[in-house]
Amino acid sequence: MAKAPHVLVVEDEAALADLLKYNLEKEGYRVSIATDGEEALLAAEETPPDLVVLDWMLPKAPGIEVCRRLRARQETRNTPIVMLTARTEEGDRIRGLDIGADDYITKPFSMSELLARLRAVMRRIRPGLAEDQIIAGDIVMDRVSHRVKRGSREVHLGPTEFRILDHLMQHPGRVFSREQLLDAVWGSDVYVEARTVDVHIGRLRKALMVGDENDPIRTVRSAGYALDVDA
Ligand code: CA
């Protein structure tokens, strides 16, 4: 089952870490933060991420060492790693790429530049997760501008409804239990009651159905929900 990709941000500057978390979550990623090299290695061992944003200058273990050790482990051997650095020397850049970083971005950078680079990396590694636009029936979702249209009508969704719809649109017709949706949308490490899913599905339906538009979401009794695009 495809989930919102999980990004591990390794950054010791709290303000930058918070800014990255905020923007990445807005983009639909699940984010965890580690503030030094050792914490990063522990966090990646506990929950292997889909993508790592790794600062070069870190307390305890430098970014380059973290990168090397992540590459040495089975679970993170192929995990995309994007390094952040204040250094501009060509030599360091090549060293970072040599030990297995996938991309490299120099501080200060703009958030939109970083997000574009992460999307490019994700697209390369896991194409299905990073498409900019997905279409199911008459519903079109643009993940870059965070806009959803049904036919020619703009659909206004809250962030949670957006993520639920994104997940359902990736697997049209497939039935997901509340627990599976919780896991995919909120993440398995967060405690949310199953009926919360019903509340958000209710809001999503309300936003998707205006006038005599049909209900694209099928409720499967005691099983869960599915998006039916040909109904
Ligand atoms: Ca730093």
Side-chain angles (χ1 to χ4, degrees), residues 11-13 55 57-58 107:
E11 172 58 70
D12 57 317
E13 287 167 51
D55 188 27
M57 300 284 276
L58 287 169
K107 292 178 182 176

Side-chain angles (χ1 to χ4, degrees), residues 178-225:
R178 290 170 181 80
E179 288 70 28
Q180 285 172 325
L181 285 173
L182 279 176
D183 201 33
V185 173
W186 282 265
S188 50
D189 47 348
V190 179
Y191 180 76
V192 183
E193 281 184 65
R195 67 190 156 108
T196 306
V197 175
D198 300 338
V199 173
H200 288 284
I201 289 278
R203 287 187 197 153
L204 178 58
R205 271 201 170 113
K206 207 173 154 193
L208 286 173
M209 293 165 65
V210 167
D212 57 1
E213 285 173 329
N214 70 325
D215 183 357
I217 297 171
R218 177 162 51 103
T219 302
V220 182
R221 258 181 73 195
S222 74
Y225 298 101

Side-chain angles (χ1 to χ4, degrees), residues 137-203:
D138 59 353
I139 305 171
V140 179
M141 168 177 282
D142 186 323
R143 284 163 160 166
V144 180
S145 63
H146 272 246
R147 288 181 134 164
V148 176
K149 279 186 156 186
R150 186 163 193 200
S152 57
R153 180 176 68 83
E154 183 108 14
V155 177
H156 299 281
L157 297 176
T160 303
E161 287 74 41
F162 187 91
R163 291 207 296 276
I164 293 174
L165 181 62
D166 187 328
H167 189 68
L168 293 175
M169 285 179 77
Q170 287 178 47
H171 317 272
R174 194 157 127 196
V175 180
F176 291 99
S177 68
R178 290 170 181 80
E179 288 70 28
Q180 285 172 325
L181 285 173
L182 279 176
D183 201 33
V185 173
W186 282 265
S188 50
D189 47 348
V190 179
Y191 180 76
V192 183
E193 281 184 65
R195 67 190 156 108
T196 306
V197 175
D198 300 338
V199 173
H200 288 284
I201 289 278
R203 287 187 197 153

